[in-house]
């Protein structure tokens, strides 16, 4: 409160008390006969002045109160709270609903690919980009398969590799929802020559692969080896891949180093020229020590007795060098698939004998 108004109020109150007291004393001192006399009293004039002063003070106090209230109202405007929708609580916003929906696990409903048809030359590869919807699907794992793996193969990542002239369909399926899938129509043109005999990709000194043939490790062969390795380990047999897929360029450098070391004639007995190596197919593996001594180890003996059960053969058997074109390699296995590998094993023949083909360089 403004100090001048407080002091004025106290002053007026004090004066009033003094005058009243004085008036009462004056009346008590007068003789009884004068009490009701018709005379003008000084105390009445004083009272009038007191009343006027009090009235002015009340007016000033009222004005000050209005001033205070006006200041308070301008400083903090009062806005009554209004409940959305009357007396009920506000409803959940659409944004909250969307966030909640995104946080909930969802099933795959559709698959989109960057292409649905492709034409490749044998030896070429191409991989479509896969998008699964909705975005918040809990499991976007992919399952890939080819309707004809001899025409075009596909690995677990969806990389399609053209193998031989023809057409097939490559299909990707949602692992979470098998009813959802997408397909790529694949057409393979001849391009550079790749040889299949009875469905078997053939690579030796007679039959070569083009420099651009670069499929990487064959996923089916890798899976078969993994199963074989696991079963061998259960029998305390430790087998592992020391050399798998090799590109055309890598093989060219490797072969040249052997030629520089031992001469061309000797190198041709144990190393393939670029384009003539089975390692370029992604279907051949060298195991463990890559040495003749491997045959006498428990691992070498186990592989010789059992690898056909997993789809592999010992590609270059003993005493077959004049037919295969390569010296004995007990560590080198080639994947053919379980049925064909079993048939070759039971025949006691090397692959060239089994297919009735040669293995000789043209020069």
């Amino acid at each position: 409160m403004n100090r001048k108004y407080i002091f004025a109020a106290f002053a007026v109150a004090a004066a009033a008390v003094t005058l009243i007291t004085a008036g009462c004393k004056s009346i008590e001192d007068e003789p009884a006969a004068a009490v009701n006399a018709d005379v003008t009293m000084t105390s009445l004039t004083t009272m009038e002045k007191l009343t006027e002063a009090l009235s002015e003070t009340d007016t000033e106090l009222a004005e000050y109160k209005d001033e205070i209230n006006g200041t308070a109202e301008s400083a903090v405007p009062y806005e009554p709270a209004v409940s959305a929708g009357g007396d009920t609580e506000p409803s959940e916003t659409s944004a909250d609903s969307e966030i909640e929906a995104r946080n909930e696990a969802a099933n795959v409903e559709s698959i989109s690919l960057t292409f649905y048809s492709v034409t490749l030359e044998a030896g070429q590869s191409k991989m479509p980009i896969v998008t699964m919807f909705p975005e918040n699907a809990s499991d976007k794992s992919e399952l890939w398969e080819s309707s004809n793996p001899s025409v075009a193969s596909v690995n677990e990542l969806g990389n399609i590799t053209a193998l031989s002239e023809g057409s097939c369909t490559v299909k990707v399926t949602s692992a979470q929802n098998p009813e959802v899938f997408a397909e790529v129509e694949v057409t393979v043109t001849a391009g550079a020559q790749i040889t299949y005999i009875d469905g078997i990709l053939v690579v030796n000194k007679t039959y070569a692969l083009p420099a651009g043939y670069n499929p990487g490790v064959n996923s089916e062969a890798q899976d078969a080896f993994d199963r074989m390795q696991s079963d061998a380990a259960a029998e305390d047999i430790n087998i592992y891949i020391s050399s798998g897929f090799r590109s055309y360029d890598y093989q060219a450098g490797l072969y040249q180093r052997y030629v520089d070391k031992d001469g061309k004639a000797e190198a041709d007995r144990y190393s393939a020229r670029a384009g003539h190596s089975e390692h370029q197919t992604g279907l051949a593996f060298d195991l463990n020590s890559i040495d003749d001594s491997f045959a006498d180890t428990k691992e070498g003996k186990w592989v010789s007795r059992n690898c056909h059960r997993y789809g592999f053969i010992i590609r270059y058997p003993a005493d077959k060098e004049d037919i295969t074109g390569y010296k004995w390699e007990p560590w080198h296995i080639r994947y053919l698939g379980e049925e064909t590998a079993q048939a070759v094993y039971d025949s006691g023949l090397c692959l060239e004998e089994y297919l009735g083909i040669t293995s000789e360089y043209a020069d």
Side-chain angles (χ1 to χ4, degrees), residues 23-357:
C24 292
K25 183 178 179 180
S26 175
I27 293 172
E28 290 174 353
D29 292 342
E30 289 292 326
V35 172
N36 295 322
D38 187 13
V39 297
T40 303
M41 298 179 65
T42 303
S43 61
L44 292 175
T45 302
T46 302
M47 287 299 293
E48 290 174 356
K49 292 180 178 179
L50 176 60
T51 301
E52 182 178 355
L54 288 172
S55 176
E56 292 175 353
T57 300
D58 289 340
T59 300
E60 291 176 348
L61 288 174
E63 292 175 351
Y64 178 70
K65 180 179 180 181
D66 292 340
E67 179 182 342
I68 294 298
N69 289 339
T71 301
E73 289 175 359
S74 63
V76 185
Y78 174 72
E79 295 183 1
V82 178
S83 176
D87 295 334
T88 60
E89 291 294 328
S91 60
E92 185 180 38
T93 65
S94 60
D96 292 336
S97 299
E98 292 176 1
I99 293 174
E100 182 178 350
R102 285 197 298 270
N103 291 334
E104 293 180 355
N107 292 328
V108 174
E109 296 177 359
S110 64
I111 296 176
S112 173
L113 303 177
T114 49
F115 60 84
Y116 294 88
S117 64
V118 63
T119 299
L120 301 170
E121 290 186 359
Q124 291 183 327
S125 296
K126 191 170 184 179
M127 182 170 68
I129 297 174
V130 179
T131 305
M132 293 191 176
F133 299 98
E135 294 182 357
N136 63 329
S138 59
D139 183 0
K140 296 184 178 180
S141 301
E142 306 163 9
L143 300 176
W144 290 89
E145 61 178 333
S146 171
S147 64
N148 191 342
S150 66
V151 172
S153 64
V154 61
N155 65 15
E156 67 278 5
L157 299 177
N159 188 42
I160 302 168
T161 300
L163 299 176
S164 63
E165 190 173 5
S167 299
C168 68
T169 300
V170 170
K171 180 179 180 181
V172 57
T173 303
S174 165
Q176 181 194 56
N177 186 0
E179 295 182 357
V180 177
F181 63 88
E183 295 179 333
V184 179
E185 297 299 326
V186 181
T187 301
V188 180
T189 58
Q193 186 63 40
I194 297 177
T195 303
Y196 281 84
I197 298 176
D198 294 342
I200 300 172
L201 175 59
V202 176
V203 180
N204 61 15
K205 290 182 177 181
T206 301
Y207 303 95
L209 294 171
Y213 187 81
N214 189 25
V217 175
N218 181 278
S219 59
E220 186 177 337
Q222 182 66 62
D223 289 344
F225 175 79
D226 291 343
R227 287 187 287 106
M228 182 170 70
Q229 183 183 51
S230 177
D231 290 348
E235 300 181 34
D236 197 28
I237 302 295
N238 179 30
I239 58 174
Y240 53 90
I241 297 172
S242 296
S243 181
F245 171 76
R246 299 178 196 159
S247 69
Y248 183 98
D249 291 338
Y250 182 92
Q251 187 66 31
L254 181 64
Y255 174 76
Q256 188 58 50
R257 288 196 294 273
Y258 290 141
V259 169
D260 295 342
K261 176 177 177 290
D262 295 326
K264 187 174 182 179
E266 186 62 22
D268 280 340
R269 294 187 62 213
Y270 62 85
S271 181
R273 300 175 188 178
H276 294 270
S277 171
E278 282 203 324
H279 286 279
Q280 193 182 342
T281 68
L283 296 165
F285 303 131
D286 287 344
L287 306 182
N288 293 39
S289 60
I290 312 182
D291 185 87
D292 289 352
S293 62
F294 177 70
D296 295 325
T297 65
K298 63 181 181 179
E299 287 78 14
K301 293 176 181 179
W302 190 94
V303 169
S304 179
R305 292 193 307 267
N306 294 284
C307 71
H308 64 277
R309 297 170 49 225
Y310 302 90
F312 295 94
I313 61 169
I314 303 297
R315 180 64 177 90
Y316 307 118
D319 303 323
K320 299 286 185 177
E321 182 176 351
D322 59 331
I323 302 172
T324 64
Y326 297 100
K327 63 185 287 293
W328 177 42
E329 294 187 357
W331 64 84
H332 181 113
I333 59 175
R334 159 68 193 272
Y335 184 73
L336 298 175
E338 293 181 17
E339 183 178 348
T340 303
Q342 183 69 55
V344 173
Y345 177 82
D346 291 340
S347 72
L349 305 173
C350 65
L351 188 59
E352 280 74 16
E353 291 174 312
Y354 183 81
L355 296 176
I357 59 177

